[in-house]
Amino acid sequence: QTSNDDNSSKKKKNDSQKQQQQQQQHNLVLDNGMQLDMSNTTNVYLAGVSSPPPVLTVRVEAPSPEQQSKLISALKRLSIEDPSLHVDENEHSTHLSGLGELHIEIVLDRLGREFGLEDIEVGKPAVTYRETIVESLDRREDGGFYNYDRTIGGTRMQASLLLSLEPTTKNNISSSSVLLSDPIVTLGPAARSFFDVDEDIPEQDLMEQNDIIRSLIMGCTGSLTRGCIGPYPLSNVTCIIHDVNAEGGIQYLKSMPGALRAAAASAVTDLLTQHKNSVTVLEPCMSLEVTVPGEMVGTVLSDLNGRRGTVGDVVLGDDNVGGGEQKKNNNAVHSKALIRGEVPLAEILGYANALRSLTGGEATFTAEYKGHAPCDFVQ
């Protein structure tokens, strides 16, 4: 009897330990030590890793068609390994976009070492500019509906739209750099009522379900890929379609969805053109740190000012403790200083060679993408 009781007690103890182990496996431990019970959760999704948008683009070309095919295959493989690397291929050229000169140089070096592509021709780097609006642009304050009425190939295309453009940036874009975001197109209550769709359905789902709405949104997004100042796509902009109308009603637009797409593109372009003074160009801005000998700080600062840079602070080396006046003077000459600031990417292309020449090879620098900032000068 005693033996049976001991076995029963051991079994209960083992069962209890197994339950505790299973419970611990289902618990998610947070940074602050708290545990979340995940036993009733079937699917757990982790947030994806986001990469900054590319800020520098170069054209790459292989010396032969066979090498070009190999180049494209290698770039696609590298872009899978590195999501911040973008490859744009068309029938005329192949463009490689990355986060800066060093990023592009590393990719080109890997093409030579790992894929045997050493004779690649590389074009001049091009900075990624963008356009955005600094204030709201609303057709409701500028005459109401935009009427599109054209006859193309004997077919009349007519539609009217009431829309507005809003900046998505919360802070004052004129005084700071911002991270880029793609344009957003939304439908207002009156527009949803015209198409007879629920207000709770997201625009992405509506595009998949409704051909007319897809034509409308694609017309807006297509027009936002080119600004009114230069050939630069718009960013940080929300396009709100307040209302839609047509002489033939919804049935006419169902039979002629191209009319609505053309009307949307023309309405966005017309609104931007009328308010060109409210549109600004954005250029990539880099956070810069330069380590330089103390006696060359003034030379480097003068050079940065000439590159439209903004100096945040200068940290001088503090080695002058004890040892007499002679030692202090020697330390003042040989100590390093750290210069922090911001500078447009367009101004520091090839900066490594320039800094080396300026300081006799005694200075080093690091640069990191911070965001896009307004600029009055476009190369």
Side-chain angles (χ1 to χ4, degrees):
Q1 180 68 31
T2 304
S3 177
N4 291 336
D5 291 342
D6 292 341
N7 292 336
S8 177
S9 176
K10 289 181 179 179
K11 184 178 181 181
K12 290 180 179 180
K13 184 177 181 180
N14 291 335
D15 292 342
S16 176
Q17 290 177 349
K18 288 182 179 179
Q19 291 178 357
Q20 291 178 359
Q21 291 176 354
Q22 292 176 354
Q23 182 65 29
Q24 290 177 356
Q25 291 176 354
H26 290 296
N27 285 348
L28 179 64
V29 181
L30 303 181
D31 291 339
N32 57 8
M34 294 180 61
Q35 293 187 1
L36 298 180
D37 185 8
M38 307 294 290
S39 58
N40 297 325
T41 303
T42 56
N43 296 316
V44 177
Y45 298 94
L46 299 179
V49 178
S50 59
S51 59
V55 296
L56 195 68
T57 302
V58 296
R59 180 185 59 81
V60 291
E61 184 178 349
S64 66
E66 293 79 12
Q67 291 285 84
Q68 183 69 19
S69 177
K70 187 177 179 181
L71 171 64
I72 294 173
S73 176
L75 288 176
K76 288 182 178 179
R77 178 176 172 180
L78 292 177
S79 64
I80 294 175
E81 298 177 3
D82 182 2
S84 62
L85 186 68
H86 290 212
V87 180
D88 182 21
E89 177 193 359
N90 55 49
E91 58 182 7
H92 301 293
S93 60
T94 302
H95 291 89
L96 178 64
S97 302
L99 301 179
E101 280 186 296
L102 181 59
H103 191 196
I104 298 295
E105 289 175 2
I106 292 174
V107 172
L108 296 176
D109 179 68
R110 291 189 62 187
L111 288 174
R113 288 187 295 102
E114 301 178 18
F115 300 95
L117 298 168
E118 299 178 353
D119 299 328
I120 302 299
E121 295 184 8
V122 182
K124 184 180 179 180
V127 173
T128 305
Y129 293 100
R130 291 289 186 267
E131 292 185 25
T132 192
I133 57 177
V134 297
E135 61 182 359
S136 300
L137 312 180
D138 199 334
R139 281 208 63 90
R140 292 175 296 182
E141 302 174 358
D142 298 333
F145 277 87
Y146 173 84
N147 183 48
Y148 179 85
D149 195 346
R150 304 284 190 277
T151 300
I152 302 175
T155 302
R156 185 190 179 199
M157 304 177 69
Q158 189 276 328
S160 301
L161 277 83
L162 184 64
L163 54 80
S164 64
L165 298 175
E166 301 282 343
T168 57
T169 307
K170 302 297 183 183
N171 59 336
N172 185 6
I173 194 173
S174 62
S175 61
S176 61
S177 58
V178 296
L179 296 178
L180 297 182
S181 62
D182 293 331
I184 302 172
V185 180
T186 62
L187 299 180
R192 288 176 176 268
S193 176
F194 177 83
F195 293 114
D196 193 22
V197 295
D198 196 333
E199 294 185 2
D200 298 329
I201 302 178
E203 280 73 14
Q204 186 63 37
D205 293 342
L206 290 175
M207 289 184 63
E208 299 175 358
Q209 301 169 4
N210 194 307
D211 293 338
I212 311 176
I213 295 179
R214 180 168 61 251
S215 297
L216 173 62
I217 294 179
M218 290 181 65
C220 293
T221 55
S223 183
L224 291 172
T225 58
R226 184 182 180 91
C228 61
I229 298 179
Y232 314 119
L234 277 94
S235 296
N236 300 59
V237 174
T238 299
C239 177
I240 305 173
I241 304 170
H242 298 284
D243 203 355
V244 180
N245 201 356
E247 292 182 2
I250 188 69
Q251 295 301 324
Y252 164 76
L253 293 179
K254 287 182 178 180
S255 63
M256 191 71 66
L260 191 57
R261 180 168 183 169
S266 183
V268 172
T269 301
D270 179 76
L271 185 59
L272 288 171
T273 304
Q274 288 186 9
H275 299 84
K276 195 171 183 178
N277 292 334
S278 298
V279 182
T280 185
V281 176
L282 301 176
E283 65 177 346
C285 191
M286 312 294 286
S287 294
L288 186 71
E289 289 190 358
V290 183
T291 303
V292 59
E295 72 275 12
M296 297 181 180
V297 170
T299 304
V300 174
L301 290 178
S302 177
D303 180 70
L304 287 177
N305 288 332
R307 297 174 183 272
R308 298 188 289 131
T310 302
V311 178
D313 59 352
V314 178
V315 181
L316 298 176
D318 188 14
D319 297 328
N320 305 328
V321 180
E325 189 67 26
Q326 182 64 34
K327 184 175 181 179
K328 291 182 181 180
N329 293 335
N330 291 335
N331 286 337
V333 172
H334 297 290
S335 64
K336 295 286 188 177
L338 179 64
I339 302 173
R340 296 191 184 99
E342 298 179 15
V343 62
L345 175 61
E347 299 291 346
I348 58 171
L349 295 178
Y351 186 61
N353 292 332
L355 186 63
R356 187 182 303 114
S357 175
L358 196 65
T359 63
E362 295 190 43
T364 59
F365 82 99
T366 60
E368 181 181 359
Y369 172 72
K370 183 178 182 181
H372 272 61
C375 70
D376 298 325
F377 172 77
V378 178
Q379 292 181 336

PDB file of all heavy atoms in Angstrom, residues 249-274:
ATOM      1  N   GLY A 249     -23.353  59.003 -65.540  1.00  0.00           N
ATOM      2  CA  GLY A 249     -23.518  58.294 -64.289  1.00  0.00           C
ATOM      3  C   GLY A 249     -22.555  57.124 -64.150  1.00  0.00           C
ATOM      4  O   GLY A 249     -21.591  56.965 -64.894  1.00  0.00           O
ATOM      5  N   ILE A 250     -22.831  56.292 -63.164  1.00  0.00           N
ATOM      6  CA  ILE A 250     -21.953  55.178 -62.860  1.00  0.00           C
ATOM      7  C   ILE A 250     -21.905  54.165 -63.992  1.00  0.00           C
ATOM      8  O   ILE A 250     -20.871  53.529 -64.243  1.00  0.00           O
ATOM      9  CB  ILE A 250     -22.392  54.510 -61.534  1.00  0.00           C
ATOM     10  CG1 ILE A 250     -21.369  53.453 -61.095  1.00  0.00           C
ATOM     11  CG2 ILE A 250     -23.778  53.895 -61.685  1.00  0.00           C
ATOM     12  CD1 ILE A 250     -20.057  53.999 -60.661  1.00  0.00           C
ATOM     13  N   GLN A 251     -23.016  54.004 -64.722  1.00  0.00           N
ATOM     14  CA  GLN A 251     -23.041  53.038 -65.815  1.00  0.00           C
ATOM     15  C   GLN A 251     -22.095  53.443 -66.938  1.00  0.00           C
ATOM     16  O   GLN A 251     -21.449  52.597 -67.557  1.00  0.00           O
ATOM     17  CB  GLN A 251     -24.480  52.893 -66.350  1.00  0.00           C
ATOM     18  CG  GLN A 251     -25.469  52.308 -65.350  1.00  0.00           C
ATOM     19  CD  GLN A 251     -25.048  50.927 -64.864  1.00  0.00           C
ATOM     20  OE1 GLN A 251     -24.490  50.120 -65.614  1.00  0.00           O
ATOM     21  NE2 GLN A 251     -25.302  50.646 -63.585  1.00  0.00           N
ATOM     22  N   TYR A 252     -22.019  54.741 -67.208  1.00  0.00           N
ATOM     23  CA  TYR A 252     -21.089  55.207 -68.243  1.00  0.00           C
ATOM     24  C   TYR A 252     -19.643  54.921 -67.835  1.00  0.00           C
ATOM     25  O   TYR A 252     -18.836  54.469 -68.652  1.00  0.00           O
ATOM     26  CB  TYR A 252     -21.281  56.708 -68.473  1.00  0.00           C
ATOM     27  CG  TYR A 252     -20.137  57.349 -69.229  1.00  0.00           C
ATOM     28  CD1 TYR A 252     -20.004  57.163 -70.605  1.00  0.00           C
ATOM     29  CD2 TYR A 252     -19.186  58.119 -68.565  1.00  0.00           C
ATOM     30  CE1 TYR A 252     -18.945  57.750 -71.300  1.00  0.00           C
ATOM     31  CE2 TYR A 252     -18.132  58.702 -69.242  1.00  0.00           C
ATOM     32  CZ  TYR A 252     -18.023  58.517 -70.611  1.00  0.00           C
ATOM     33  OH  TYR A 252     -16.978  59.081 -71.293  1.00  0.00           O
ATOM     34  N   LEU A 253     -19.296  55.169 -66.570  1.00  0.00           N
ATOM     35  CA  LEU A 253     -17.935  54.935 -66.111  1.00  0.00           C
ATOM     36  C   LEU A 253     -17.583  53.451 -66.107  1.00  0.00           C
ATOM     37  O   LEU A 253     -16.428  53.078 -66.312  1.00  0.00           O
ATOM     38  CB  LEU A 253     -17.748  55.520 -64.710  1.00  0.00           C
ATOM     39  CG  LEU A 253     -17.829  57.046 -64.620  1.00  0.00           C
ATOM     40  CD1 LEU A 253     -17.651  57.495 -63.176  1.00  0.00           C
ATOM     41  CD2 LEU A 253     -16.779  57.701 -65.512  1.00  0.00           C
ATOM     42  N   LYS A 254     -18.590  52.588 -65.888  1.00  0.00           N
ATOM     43  CA  LYS A 254     -18.331  51.154 -65.957  1.00  0.00           C
ATOM     44  C   LYS A 254     -17.942  50.730 -67.363  1.00  0.00           C
ATOM     45  O   LYS A 254     -17.115  49.827 -67.545  1.00  0.00           O
ATOM     46  CB  LYS A 254     -19.559  50.373 -65.492  1.00  0.00           C
ATOM     47  CG  LYS A 254     -19.794  50.419 -63.988  1.00  0.00           C
ATOM     48  CD  LYS A 254     -21.004  49.580 -63.596  1.00  0.00           C
ATOM     49  CE  LYS A 254     -21.205  49.593 -62.076  1.00  0.00           C
ATOM     50  NZ  LYS A 254     -22.383  48.774 -61.677  1.00  0.00           N
ATOM     51  N   SER A 255     -18.543  51.376 -68.354  1.00  0.00           N
ATOM     52  CA  SER A 255     -18.224  51.047 -69.741  1.00  0.00           C
ATOM     53  C   SER A 255     -16.997  51.788 -70.244  1.00  0.00           C
ATOM     54  O   SER A 255     -16.428  51.429 -71.270  1.00  0.00           O
ATOM     55  CB  SER A 255     -19.417  51.378 -70.644  1.00  0.00           C
ATOM     56  OG  SER A 255     -19.687  52.779 -70.620  1.00  0.00           O
ATOM     57  N   MET A 256     -16.576  52.839 -69.528  1.00  0.00           N
ATOM     58  CA  MET A 256     -15.434  53.650 -69.938  1.00  0.00           C
ATOM     59  C   MET A 256     -14.547  53.960 -68.723  1.00  0.00           C
ATOM     60  O   MET A 256     -14.411  55.118 -68.319  1.00  0.00           O
ATOM     61  CB  MET A 256     -15.923  54.943 -70.595  1.00  0.00           C
ATOM     62  CG  MET A 256     -14.835  55.739 -71.281  1.00  0.00           C
ATOM     63  SD  MET A 256     -14.226  54.964 -72.775  1.00  0.00           S
ATOM     64  CE  MET A 256     -15.695  55.064 -73.812  1.00  0.00           C
ATOM     65  N   PRO A 257     -13.926  52.931 -68.105  1.00  0.00           N
ATOM     66  CA  PRO A 257     -13.091  53.196 -66.912  1.00  0.00           C
ATOM     67  C   PRO A 257     -11.865  54.045 -67.236  1.00  0.00           C
ATOM     68  O   PRO A 257     -11.332  54.723 -66.357  1.00  0.00           O
ATOM     69  CB  PRO A 257     -12.687  51.795 -66.435  1.00  0.00           C
ATOM     70  CG  PRO A 257     -12.817  50.928 -67.640  1.00  0.00           C
ATOM     71  CD  PRO A 257     -13.951  51.506 -68.431  1.00  0.00           C
ATOM     72  N   GLY A 258     -11.415  54.021 -68.495  1.00  0.00           N
ATOM     73  CA  GLY A 258     -10.265  54.841 -68.881  1.00  0.00           C
ATOM     74  C   GLY A 258     -10.533  56.326 -68.740  1.00  0.00           C
ATOM     75  O   GLY A 258      -9.605  57.112 -68.501  1.00  0.00           O
ATOM     76  N   ALA A 259     -11.817  56.727 -68.886  1.00  0.00           N
ATOM     77  CA  ALA A 259     -12.162  58.138 -68.737  1.00  0.00           C
ATOM     78  C   ALA A 259     -11.911  58.603 -67.307  1.00  0.00           C
ATOM     79  O   ALA A 259     -11.400  59.711 -67.074  1.00  0.00           O
ATOM     80  CB  ALA A 259     -13.625  58.364 -69.125  1.00  0.00           C
ATOM     81  N   LEU A 260     -12.241  57.756 -66.336  1.00  0.00           N
ATOM     82  CA  LEU A 260     -12.045  58.121 -64.938  1.00  0.00           C
ATOM     83  C   LEU A 260     -10.558  58.148 -64.587  1.00  0.00           C
ATOM     84  O   LEU A 260     -10.109  59.011 -63.833  1.00  0.00           O
ATOM     85  CB  LEU A 260     -12.787  57.131 -64.042  1.00  0.00           C
ATOM     86  CG  LEU A 260     -12.915  57.507 -62.560  1.00  0.00           C
ATOM     87  CD1 LEU A 260     -13.592  58.863 -62.417  1.00  0.00           C
ATOM     88  CD2 LEU A 260     -13.680  56.437 -61.804  1.00  0.00           C
ATOM     89  N   ARG A 261      -9.803  57.232 -65.145  1.00  0.00           N
ATOM     90  CA  ARG A 261      -8.360  57.209 -64.885  1.00  0.00           C
ATOM     91  C   ARG A 261      -7.690  58.449 -65.461  1.00  0.00           C
ATOM     92  O   ARG A 261      -6.851  59.082 -64.802  1.00  0.00           O
ATOM     93  CB  ARG A 261      -7.744  55.948 -65.485  1.00  0.00           C
ATOM     94  CG  ARG A 261      -6.245  55.833 -65.257  1.00  0.00           C
ATOM     95  CD  ARG A 261      -5.742  54.462 -65.612  1.00  0.00           C
ATOM     96  NE  ARG A 261      -4.318  54.320 -65.340  1.00  0.00           N
ATOM     97  CZ  ARG A 261      -3.661  53.174 -65.351  1.00  0.00           C
ATOM     98  NH1 ARG A 261      -4.321  52.043 -65.597  1.00  0.00           N
ATOM     99  NH2 ARG A 261      -2.369  53.129 -65.099  1.00  0.00           N
ATOM    100  N   ALA A 262      -8.067  58.822 -66.686  1.00  0.00           N
ATOM    101  CA  ALA A 262      -7.494  60.024 -67.303  1.00  0.00           C
ATOM    102  C   ALA A 262      -7.909  61.274 -66.547  1.00  0.00           C
ATOM    103  O   ALA A 262      -7.112  62.205 -66.365  1.00  0.00           O
ATOM    104  CB  ALA A 262      -7.915  60.108 -68.765  1.00  0.00           C
ATOM    105  N   ALA A 263      -9.164  61.312 -66.093  1.00  0.00           N
ATOM    106  CA  ALA A 263      -9.650  62.473 -65.352  1.00  0.00           C
ATOM    107  C   ALA A 263      -8.911  62.620 -64.025  1.00  0.00           C
ATOM    108  O   ALA A 263      -8.552  63.731 -63.617  1.00  0.00           O
ATOM    109  CB  ALA A 263     -11.152  62.347 -65.112  1.00  0.00           C
ATOM    110  N   ALA A 264      -8.659  61.498 -63.337  1.00  0.00           N
ATOM    111  CA  ALA A 264      -7.958  61.549 -62.059  1.00  0.00           C
ATOM    112  C   ALA A 264      -6.530  62.048 -62.241  1.00  0.00           C
ATOM    113  O   ALA A 264      -6.061  62.914 -61.486  1.00  0.00           O
ATOM    114  CB  ALA A 264      -7.964  60.165 -61.423  1.00  0.00           C
ATOM    115  N   ALA A 265      -5.841  61.520 -63.247  1.00  0.00           N
ATOM    116  CA  ALA A 265      -4.461  61.951 -63.487  1.00  0.00           C
ATOM    117  C   ALA A 265      -4.401  63.429 -63.850  1.00  0.00           C
ATOM    118  O   ALA A 265      -3.545  64.172 -63.371  1.00  0.00           O
ATOM    119  CB  ALA A 265      -3.840  61.104 -64.599  1.00  0.00           C
ATOM    120  N   SER A 266      -5.317  63.866 -64.686  1.00  0.00           N
ATOM    121  CA  SER A 266      -5.327  65.268 -65.103  1.00  0.00           C
ATOM    122  C   SER A 266      -5.691  66.195 -63.948  1.00  0.00           C
ATOM    123  O   SER A 266      -5.142  67.299 -63.829  1.00  0.00           O
ATOM    124  CB  SER A 266      -6.312  65.447 -66.260  1.00  0.00           C
ATOM    125  OG  SER A 266      -6.298  66.770 -66.748  1.00  0.00           O
ATOM    126  N   ALA A 267      -6.602  65.762 -63.073  1.00  0.00           N
ATOM    127  CA  ALA A 267      -7.020  66.593 -61.940  1.00  0.00           C
ATOM    128  C   ALA A 267      -5.879  66.798 -60.952  1.00  0.00           C
ATOM    129  O   ALA A 267      -5.667  67.910 -60.450  1.00  0.00           O
ATOM    130  CB  ALA A 267      -8.220  65.952 -61.243  1.00  0.00           C
ATOM    131  N   VAL A 268      -5.116  65.751 -60.675  1.00  0.00           N
ATOM    132  CA  VAL A 268      -3.979  65.871 -59.746  1.00  0.00           C
ATOM    133  C   VAL A 268      -2.908  66.783 -60.333  1.00  0.00           C
ATOM    134  O   VAL A 268      -2.377  67.673 -59.650  1.00  0.00           O
ATOM    135  CB  VAL A 268      -3.401  64.481 -59.422  1.00  0.00           C
ATOM    136  CG1 VAL A 268      -2.103  64.612 -58.629  1.00  0.00           C
ATOM    137  CG2 VAL A 268      -4.409  63.659 -58.636  1.00  0.00           C
ATOM    138  N   THR A 269      -2.587  66.585 -61.615  1.00  0.00           N
ATOM    139  CA  THR A 269      -1.564  67.413 -62.262  1.00  0.00           C
ATOM    140  C   THR A 269      -1.980  68.879 -62.289  1.00  0.00           C
ATOM    141  O   THR A 269      -1.171  69.776 -62.032  1.00  0.00           O
ATOM    142  CB  THR A 269      -1.311  66.914 -63.695  1.00  0.00           C
ATOM    143  OG1 THR A 269      -0.885  65.542 -63.647  1.00  0.00           O
ATOM    144  CG2 THR A 269      -0.250  67.750 -64.390  1.00  0.00           C
ATOM    145  N   ASP A 270      -3.254  69.136 -62.583  1.00  0.00           N
ATOM    146  CA  ASP A 270      -3.747  70.516 -62.638  1.00  0.00           C
ATOM    147  C   ASP A 270      -3.680  71.179 -61.263  1.00  0.00           C
ATOM    148  O   ASP A 270      -3.298  72.357 -61.149  1.00  0.00           O
ATOM    149  CB  ASP A 270      -5.186  70.517 -63.147  1.00  0.00           C
ATOM    150  CG  ASP A 270      -5.776  71.909 -63.218  1.00  0.00           C
ATOM    151  OD1 ASP A 270      -5.418  72.659 -64.153  1.00  0.00           O
ATOM    152  OD2 ASP A 270      -6.582  72.258 -62.332  1.00  0.00           O
ATOM    153  N   LEU A 271      -4.020  70.438 -60.198  1.00  0.00           N
ATOM    154  CA  LEU A 271      -3.992  71.006 -58.850  1.00  0.00           C
ATOM    155  C   LEU A 271      -2.557  71.339 -58.434  1.00  0.00           C
ATOM    156  O   LEU A 271      -2.300  72.392 -57.832  1.00  0.00           O
ATOM    157  CB  LEU A 271      -4.625  70.021 -57.869  1.00  0.00           C
ATOM    158  CG  LEU A 271      -4.796  70.504 -56.424  1.00  0.00           C
ATOM    159  CD1 LEU A 271      -5.666  71.751 -56.373  1.00  0.00           C
ATOM    160  CD2 LEU A 271      -5.403  69.392 -55.560  1.00  0.00           C
ATOM    161  N   LEU A 272      -1.613  70.477 -58.766  1.00  0.00           N
ATOM    162  CA  LEU A 272      -0.217  70.741 -58.427  1.00  0.00           C
ATOM    163  C   LEU A 272       0.320  71.927 -59.219  1.00  0.00           C
ATOM    164  O   LEU A 272       1.061  72.765 -58.681  1.00  0.00           O
ATOM    165  CB  LEU A 272       0.630  69.501 -58.707  1.00  0.00           C
ATOM    166  CG  LEU A 272       0.451  68.318 -57.757  1.00  0.00           C
ATOM    167  CD1 LEU A 272       1.187  67.097 -58.285  1.00  0.00           C
ATOM    168  CD2 LEU A 272       0.936  68.660 -56.356  1.00  0.00           C
ATOM    169  N   THR A 273      -0.025  72.010 -60.495  1.00  0.00           N
ATOM    170  CA  THR A 273       0.474  73.097 -61.342  1.00  0.00           C
ATOM    171  C   THR A 273      -0.050  74.453 -60.880  1.00  0.00           C
ATOM    172  O   THR A 273       0.677  75.448 -60.896  1.00  0.00           O
ATOM    173  CB  THR A 273       0.076  72.842 -62.806  1.00  0.00           C
ATOM    174  OG1 THR A 273       0.573  71.557 -63.215  1.00  0.00           O
ATOM    175  CG2 THR A 273       0.663  73.908 -63.715  1.00  0.00           C
ATOM    176  N   GLN A 274      -1.324  74.508 -60.458  1.00  0.00           N
ATOM    177  CA  GLN A 274      -1.907  75.765 -59.987  1.00  0.00           C
ATOM    178  C   GLN A 274      -1.261  76.241 -58.687  1.00  0.00           C
ATOM    179  O   GLN A 274      -1.256  77.443 -58.408  1.00  0.00           O
ATOM    180  CB  GLN A 274      -3.415  75.599 -59.777  1.00  0.00           C
ATOM    181  CG  GLN A 274      -4.220  75.502 -61.063  1.00  0.00           C
ATOM    182  CD  GLN A 274      -5.712  75.494 -60.795  1.00  0.00           C
ATOM    183  OE1 GLN A 274      -6.150  75.727 -59.661  1.00  0.00           O
ATOM    184  NE2 GLN A 274      -6.497  75.220 -61.817  1.00  0.00           N
TER     185      GLN A 274
END
